[in-house]
Amino acid sequence: MSTISTTDTTWFFACKTTDVPPNGGVCVKYKDEQIALFYFTRTDKWYASQNLCPHRRQMALSRGLTGTQQGEPKVACPFHKKTFSLEDGRCLNDEHECAITTYPVRLEDDRIYIGVSNTY
């Protein structure tokens, strides 16, 4: 696993761009953490979040349905359809529902890097 550390963030190599289906997601691991990585072809943007669904406590968000809600990228859990913002992690169905953790994503050539906090 290749990593690059800065003051606050460690950037780890997640996968190549060709490993992620267009408008879909994959699960990548960093240490003991599962992270969902998504690619939106229409906007040519990458997003990463925790893979753990906070409702059912299952590792499933990488297999969720992706789309937008009022222009905001989102993922819906494949089990209970709760939707979460891929920009800030908040639940878009209910403001009192659990939020998810999101991570910054960086693209270098055809390699995807995900940033995790150095306090991890």
Side-chain angles (χ1 to χ4, degrees):
M1 168 181 358
S2 82
T3 60
I4 302 166
S5 291
T6 60
T7 306
D8 298 331
T9 305
T10 295
W11 293 90
F12 74 92
F13 171 68
C15 63
K16 292 191 173 232
T17 56
T18 54
D19 295 328
V20 182
N23 300 308
V26 296
C27 179
V28 297
K29 280 193 81 176
Y30 178 72
K31 297 184 180 180
D32 292 331
E33 185 75 18
Q34 289 188 28
I35 298 175
L37 176 65
F38 304 96
Y39 177 53
F40 284 53
T41 58
R42 189 170 42 142
T43 58
D44 195 29
K45 290 192 178 178
W46 295 85
Y47 300 94
S49 73
Q50 71 185 48
N51 194 37
L52 179 68
C53 169
H55 180 252
R56 284 219 168 148
R57 313 278 312 153
Q58 292 177 311
M59 297 295 184
L61 291 182
S62 63
R63 295 175 299 179
L65 304 170
T66 58
T68 58
Q69 182 170 324
Q70 296 176 343
E72 185 163 5
K74 67 177 183 174
V75 62
C77 175
F79 294 109
H80 68 285
K81 306 301 185 251
K82 289 280 187 189
T83 58
F84 300 94
S85 166
L86 289 172
E87 291 182 343
D88 63 16
R90 76 187 185 288
C91 182
L92 298 174
N93 301 96
D94 181 354
E95 64 186 51
H96 302 292
E97 195 65 38
C98 296
I100 61 172
T101 301
T102 58
Y103 303 92
V105 178
R106 188 165 74 192
L107 175 65
E108 291 181 11
D109 298 318
D110 67 340
R111 297 170 60 93
I112 304 297
Y113 291 86
I114 297 174
V116 294
S117 171
N118 280 336
T119 59
Y120 185 83

